[in-house]
């Protein structure tokens, strides 16, 4: 299975970790990701997730994020079904992250 984390819990658990020690995967579509995403997040849209699952290292913790936690929980369940063990879902998503005023990155200038 996977563990749900709030934005605050994510920051407490991973904020001081080496970014290379875990995977932060944004499963939103390209345009959503480009608008704003958590710093360091890699985009693997849910629509491409099954085809790109080999990009996810099963030996490293993976934190999945979307807009509100729904799509990322689906991705986490899929990875769990494949035997991935260290899975986390950002339950309040990018929306909750932004509402708390936490920093985001942008992939394009608007």
């Amino acid at each position: 299975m996977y563990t749900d984390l709030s934005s605050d819990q994510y920051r407490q658990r991973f904020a001081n970790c080496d970014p290379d020690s875990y995977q932060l995967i944004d499963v939103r579509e390209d345009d959503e990701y480009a608008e704003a995403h958590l710093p360091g997040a890699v985009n693997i849209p849910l629509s491409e997730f099954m085809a790109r699952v080999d990009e996810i290292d099963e030996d490293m913790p993976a934190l999945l994020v979307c807009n509100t936690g729904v799509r990322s929980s689906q991705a986490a369940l899929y990875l769990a079904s494949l035997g991935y063990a260290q899975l986390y879902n950002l339950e309040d998503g990018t929306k909750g992250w932004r509402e708390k005023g936490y920093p985001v990155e942008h992939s394009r200038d608007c």
Side-chain angles (χ1 to χ4, degrees):
M1 293 308 289
Y2 65 87
T3 302
D4 282 321
L5 296 177
S6 68
S7 293
D8 292 332
Q9 291 170 319
Y10 164 67
R11 288 173 56 93
Q12 289 170 355
R13 184 161 188 160
F14 291 101
N16 295 319
C17 291
D18 177 348
D20 293 331
S21 67
Y22 69 98
Q23 304 161 94
L24 179 57
I25 302 163
D26 192 320
V27 301
R28 296 175 303 150
E29 295 304 311
D30 294 336
D31 60 328
E32 296 173 281
Y33 175 83
E35 181 182 316
H37 54 270
L38 275 68
V42 173
N43 188 219
I44 303 178
L46 193 59
S47 62
E48 302 171 12
F49 204 76
M50 293 173 78
R52 295 179 57 190
V53 73
D54 60 335
E55 296 176 32
I56 303 168
D57 186 341
E58 65 183 292
D59 295 324
M60 289 180 66
L63 178 84
L64 299 142
V65 60
C66 65
N67 192 47
T68 61
V70 175
R71 288 176 283 179
S72 53
S73 67
Q74 293 171 346
L77 284 172
Y78 177 68
L79 291 176
S81 76
L82 296 177
Y84 288 70
Q86 301 175 76
L87 300 171
Y88 303 90
N89 175 48
L90 190 64
E91 66 184 350
D92 50 358
T94 305
K95 181 179 180 183
W97 180 268
R98 293 179 82 178
E99 286 173 354
K100 291 187 176 280
Y102 295 148
V104 293
E105 293 177 344
H106 306 275
S107 295
R108 64 173 179 232
D109 294 326
C110 297

